[in-house]
Amino acid sequence: MRGVCGGAAGRGYCFAHTRKDGADVGWWQINADTLAGSRFVISPFAEAFGSLRLLHTAGAAHPGERRWLDAHLPDYRRRLAGDPVTALLVRAGIGKEWTADFLAPTPRDGETFEQAVAQVREASPAGARADLTVSLRGPVPALLERDDLPERAADLLTYVWTTAVEPYWDQRRRVLEADVVARTAQVSRGGWASALDTLRPGTRWLGENRLQVNAHEYPPREISGAELVFVPITTQRIGWVSWEGTDRYALVYPCAGALADPGGRPVPASLAALLGPARAGVLVRLGSPLSTSQLVAVTGQGLGSVGRHLRVLLDAGLVERRRAGRSVLYSRTAAGQVLVEAQNGSGTRGASIRP
């Protein structure tokens, strides 16, 4: 079973799946030891599957996603137009309320994309068709009554990974790592409840060892004693839950919006001329608190460069810092805010943010 949840325009929307045994899932019962042993992990495969879903829905959440879709959606659509079987497989497997199990194996810590997609390729053809009857809420179309569905799904996911995700993976990985740092700091500051409440719409800590995983009230699933991982992806409005048997569970969620669109905040040319493009880029991005590692992720600058820029901005009184658990977060001061707003209103064109 896997569920898909997300949020748009300030609203949460969630899709909960019903397992083949008929058990619905809206929240999980978790004991303290299981939650304490849970961890955040990064999954190349989850990133690829989230990107496939984004190509499927073609609904961008911010300008960065729009640029990515503009670059890759035409070729994706041409590929499916030339392969009607795979096109129907995607429509059947990624339904409005359900996702076929075999398409999205539960992420594992340290697993490569190749290892994960091998699980898709090795899925039972009969099991894949059975999964599709759940996602379709009905019989499988005659065109999909065939044994090569897992291979077709694996080939499509590999295509998405190699053409539309892997070229950006270094930057995306930095963004995901920055999100994990921020979430871990949030756990240190306010406990698991505060971190879980902000993962995505529909996910929140209910108290009494209960984690709501979507916005619907369904009977609980007991997962105490199981392995539990939280997996960030850069695609927004997309997320899901999955598990294997009773031993391993995963909750996949969109990373923090401030990190998701590294190119979404242009630097005013006048501010770039005053401070230098790279230093101005750091200041512009500090409208909300970010750690050094997060700044490295969203600016693409090296750790040493970001550190030097922060020291200059601190000395000038344009940014301030505070400790949050094991992390140090930086944000603009009132003076820094006035400077950025004044330059934004100067009518000058934006400059590119470069190291």
Side-chain angles (χ1 to χ4, degrees), residues 5 35 45 75 81 84 99 153 190 212 223 257 270 288 313 319 323 330:
C5 297
L35 191 57
F45 181 87
D75 188 63
T99 298
Q212 182 173 308
I223 75 166
S270 55
S288 57
L313 294 171
V319 304
R323 181 165 291 280
Y330 296 84

Side-chain angles (χ1 to χ4, degrees), residues 2 42-52 101-108 111-121 153-154 157-158 160-161 165 169 231 233 240 252:
R2 294 176 183 90
I42 293 172
S43 168
F45 181 87
E47 184 72 13
F49 184 72
S51 297
L52 173 61
D101 286 11
F102 79 100
L103 292 177
T106 302
R108 295 176 179 270
E111 186 177 54
T112 65
F113 172 82
E114 290 74 18
Q115 290 170 329
V117 81
Q119 296 182 55
V120 179
R121 194 177 300 278
L157 284 159
T158 300
V160 171
W161 166 254
V165 178
W169 180 240
V231 186
I233 54 176
W240 63 92
V252 182

Side-chain angles (χ1 to χ4, degrees), residues 266-302:
V267 176
S270 55
L271 185 63
L274 179 66
L275 300 177
R279 188 167 299 150
V282 171
L283 181 62
V284 165
R285 296 189 185 281
L286 288 176
S288 57
L290 295 174
S291 67
T292 303
S293 61
Q294 289 173 318
L295 284 166
V296 169
V298 299
T299 64
Q301 301 179 40

